[in-house]
Amino acid sequence: MFKEKGYHATSVGDIIDGARIARGTFYLYFTSKREIFAALSAGFLAVIRGSVRKISLDPNEGEPLAQMRANFRRVIHTVLQHEDLATIVLRDDALDAEARAQLDLFYEQVIGLIGQAVRVGSRLGIARECDETIIAVSALGALKEILTRMLAGRRATSTAVPAPGAEASEPAAVTGGPDETAVASEVTPAPFADPDRLADELLRFFVRGVFTQDTR
Amino acid sequence: MFKEKGYHATSVGDIIDGARIARGTFYLYFTSKREIFAALSAGFLAVIRGSVRKISLDPNEGEPLAQMRANFRRVIHTVLQHEDLATIVLRDDALDAEARAQLDLFYEQVIGLIGQAVRVGSRLGIARECDETIIAVSALGALKEILTRMLAGRRATSTAVPAPGAEASEPAAVTGGPDETAVASEVTPAPFADPDRLADELLRFFVRGVFTQDTR
Amino acid sequence: MFKEKGYHATSVGDIIDGARIARGTFYLYFTSKREIFAALSAGFLAVIRGSVRKISLDPNEGEPLAQMRANFRRVIHTVLQHEDLATIVLRDDALDAEARAQLDLFYEQVIGLIGQAVRVGSRLGIARECDETIIAVSALGALKEILTRMLAGRRATSTAVPAPGAEASEPAAVTGGPDETAVASEVTPAPFADPDRLADELLRFFVRGVFTQDTR
Amino acid sequence: MFKEKGYHATSVGDIIDGARIARGTFYLYFTSKREIFAALSAGFLAVIRGSVRKISLDPNEGEPLAQMRANFRRVIHTVLQHEDLATIVLRDDALDAEARAQLDLFYEQVIGLIGQAVRVGSRLGIARECDETIIAVSALGALKEILTRMLAGRRATSTAVPAPGAEASEPAAVTGGPDETAVASEVTPAPFADPDRLADELLRFFVRGVFTQDTR
DNA sequence: GATGAATGAGTTTTCATTCAT
DNA sequence: AATGAATGAAAACTCATTCAT
């Protein structure tokens, strides 16, 4: 329910209807709507944490960039394995201060991890001079956005035949200028369909950027 | 109010108290809570749209990368000029399908714009082979995350010593050089304090990535 | 509603139905069910407080016993003027700690007042040696019981023709032994019908007790 | 549980937790929460009934006033022996009509008994002319109030220094003489500590009242 | 144009009671 | 006899919205 309607639009009534249980049963297992959401979030965060490894300098562990690629791939696969939970966590709904703090902590950890990877790169002479916090935050943002759209794409695909009462079907049109709008028949799905390709593309972006020319 | 508490936690009561008007007066100007939020969002989106230019190949317009840097700087400055509105838009609160669609459209346009820049780069031989959608989405995500944290940092700083009644007057705190961040007691502020540096760092990330070594 | 059903058995729904107002209107004037009850109680306690005067030794104020009788009469009349409120206060329903404290304070004040009267009597040599606290508490208890039954009697009388759905009609029978059960057609009404007689009888009880013979 | 929190604030959950039994087990022995409360009340009322004797004119039974004193003492001692039950009965919590009627019946019997005593006194010429119902009701009220405060005092005293886990062990604190109560920091305890003194004081109040002067 | 009292649908939460095991 | 998971009716409370003044 949370995945479909978000935290606020989902009522306890929706949940118990969906779960085919009585109101009291819900409160037998969760003390509040907030708690079930927090429990779901926490569960997912734990799983995701488990899918990320710190970059190691131990040569047995392989090259740092290979380790990073493995991390990306694992995260993406874990997200795909837990589409529902990933969706509600990425939606980043407000909730209360405690849940907020839990999520913030998680992202701070992710930023720390990415920062560490950059620092390792610097030490090895394979990363350029940069503000590692900004890089890490950017990488996190990029990853979140990619994952969000990957999940949105899958939802759009799987719900292709919308139940009566739904209101999907985005007006595909976009792109500023009237020049090359390309195919654009399906808005996002295509490039996000292959998880491993996604991981590689993302990694390449982090590693090499896009442009070959120097900035200054 | 929306900036501080988010859409759902802000009641019409909060708004009219803050605005020192009567309940009825509110509904004289807005048909609903949703509408005022949508109006605020739309206003901000229009301003932001106005601060972005398509990359032009016309040599009078300067080099493409310089145009991109100018875009980044303008966006960041606009966001800073409209901290409140930017905050509520970046918070990405759920609302209804219509507001959702409006925001989605906007982001789709941004993605289109970034994609176009990459395509231009490709044509000029200054951008490497890549999936432009993934790159554009990543860039958008990075930008959103950076801006979000920049605003969070400013909020944290400005509310730090809350003079009773006052609510502004930045102490422009910036730690000199980019190397030794020393204290780092505050969560994010430091690296996000200088907007232009932020724009440059972000651009450099997009352009060159972080690592110098090849991926394959 | 509180008078008829007591605090717990009265729901906000009952109140708004009785008042012919909407739910929201109720919460516009009272923040909770507890609050309206507390407000009603407090109002009544204030009125009652206003109807009691400290016994004065000033000869212009009349004899102490006459002052006491006046107090009794005023209290009884006030209670009769505010039958509903008096009933809910005397019912002494649990509520929360705060309301409890408010009521306790009130009764403590009453006890203080009665104690003072006894002390005045002692000083004047018209009251016998006694533990004034016990006397005051006894007097308070007697007064409460008398008033409670006076009000119950009036309710029984006025509701003589019970609305369909009610469940009155006490099984009058009582009195341990099978000897003289007297008339007993109406359980309590009769002796409690005349307020002034009640006040006088009560005062006489306090003053002289019932038995003429000495105890030890 | 009922003693501590009252009927409404005590949930079946509290009861089964306290009794270390399962929910189902509770309903094996009692059909409802009301029933267990009624059973407890009824038990106590039976015990109390057993501790009161009708005043007899048989000279072997001793003087009427001595019989009354004995009754008072027995009631007070019984109440002390069953503090918990006495507390819940005196709290006079609402419940349903049936339990209400049971309690009303009991009090009516007590009133009948006291009334009988007064009538006996009248016949013997040792009681003054009076409305015996009013006197009996007053006496009942005084007794209830005294007992309530006596129990409250004991509770306050025993819970004063709550050794973690323990819940009894009265320190029998009683301030020596009846005159100088000195400290008086505690609300009521002192004068209510000695049950027999209480009974005597109460009896004396009934017998002689407080004031020596005539009323009219 | 402005006001604010009134509204009531909708939400969360509680808790006495049941019944299959 | 004992258990405890499941129940659902009922209760308190919220808040966006309306409309007579």
Side-chain angles (χ1 to χ4, degrees), chain D residues 77-128:
Chain D
H77 280 110
T78 305
V79 163
L80 285 174
Q81 264 168 51
H82 303 275
E83 278 191 44
D84 301 4
L85 296 173
T87 304
I88 70 176
V89 168
L90 282 167
R91 206 196 280 269
D92 204 8
D93 262 324
L95 309 127
D96 59 310
E98 197 185 350
R100 184 74 265 160
Q102 187 185 71
L103 197 59
D104 283 347
L105 171 62
F106 172 78
Y107 283 133
E108 229 51 60
Q109 291 174 334
V110 173
I111 289 170
L113 233 44
I114 301 177
Q116 183 253 3
V118 173
R119 249 171 287 125
V120 165
S122 289
R123 204 172 309 155
L124 295 180
I126 61 170
R128 66 169 171 84

Side-chain angles (χ1 to χ4, degrees), chain D residues 36-169:
Chain D
I36 190 178
F37 189 89
L40 291 171
S41 289
F44 176 70
L45 295 185
V47 175
I48 281 287
R49 272 195 189 94
S51 73
V52 186
R53 312 250 183 292
K54 240 176 150 177
I55 304 302
S56 163
L57 288 173
D58 178 345
N60 298 348
E61 303 279 356
E63 295 210 7
L65 282 175
Q67 291 179 45
M68 280 189 69
R69 173 197 279 121
N71 269 338
F72 278 133
R73 292 191 169 196
R74 272 195 305 268
V75 167
I76 293 177
H77 280 110
T78 305
V79 163
L80 285 174
Q81 264 168 51
H82 303 275
E83 278 191 44
D84 301 4
L85 296 173
T87 304
I88 70 176
V89 168
L90 282 167
R91 206 196 280 269
D92 204 8
D93 262 324
L95 309 127
D96 59 310
E98 197 185 350
R100 184 74 265 160
Q102 187 185 71
L103 197 59
D104 283 347
L105 171 62
F106 172 78
Y107 283 133
E108 229 51 60
Q109 291 174 334
V110 173
I111 289 170
L113 233 44
I114 301 177
Q116 183 253 3
V118 173
R119 249 171 287 125
V120 165
S122 289
R123 204 172 309 155
L124 295 180
I126 61 170
R128 66 169 171 84
E129 182 88 356
C130 65
D131 181 312
E132 91 209 18
T133 303
I134 294 181
I135 296 301
V137 167
S138 300
L140 171 64
L143 185 55
K144 281 165 68 176
E145 193 76 29
I146 289 279
L147 293 174
T148 300
R149 282 167 190 265
M150 177 181 78
L151 292 173
R154 308 199 111 224
R155 247 168 319 167
T157 311
S158 59
T159 344
V161 187
E167 59 218 65
S169 81

Side-chain angles (χ1 to χ4, degrees), chain B residues 43-64:
Chain B
F44 176 70
L45 294 186
V47 175
I48 281 287
R49 271 195 188 96
S51 73
V52 187
R53 310 252 184 293
K54 236 176 153 179
I55 304 304
S56 163
L57 288 174
D58 179 345
N60 299 350
E61 303 278 356
E63 294 208 9

Side-chain angles (χ1 to χ4, degrees), chain C residues 29-48:
Chain C
Y29 292 96
F30 302 98
T31 62
S32 64
K33 188 176 116 177
R34 266 178 37 224
E35 203 197 63
I36 190 178
F37 190 88
L40 291 172
S41 290
F44 176 69
L45 294 186
V47 175
I48 280 288

Side-chain angles (χ1 to χ4, degrees), chain B residues 8-77:
Chain B
H8 286 102
T10 299
S11 71
V12 173
D14 292 330
I15 297 171
I16 62 172
D17 287 354
R20 312 293 221 106
I21 56 165
R23 230 178 186 71
T25 311
F26 173 84
Y27 283 93
L28 214 52
Y29 293 96
F30 301 97
T31 62
S32 66
K33 183 176 133 184
R34 265 177 40 225
E35 201 198 63
I36 189 179
F37 189 89
L40 291 171
S41 287
F44 176 70
L45 294 186
V47 175
I48 281 287
R49 271 195 188 96
S51 73
V52 187
R53 310 252 184 293
K54 236 176 153 179
I55 304 304
S56 163
L57 288 174
D58 179 345
N60 299 350
E61 303 278 356
E63 294 208 9
L65 284 176
Q67 290 180 46
M68 281 188 68
R69 172 194 281 118
N71 269 338
F72 277 133
R73 293 192 168 194
R74 274 195 305 270
V75 166
I76 294 179
H77 279 112

Side-chain angles (χ1 to χ4, degrees), chain A residues 22-25 28-29:
Chain A
R23 218 166 203 88
T25 309
L28 193 58
Y29 293 95

Side-chain angles (χ1 to χ4, degrees), chain C residues 143-167:
Chain C
L143 185 56
K144 281 164 69 176
E145 193 76 29
I146 289 280
L147 293 174
T148 300
R149 281 166 192 268
M150 177 181 79
L151 292 173
R154 309 199 109 226
R155 247 170 308 149
T157 311
S158 59
T159 343
V161 187
E167 55 223 60

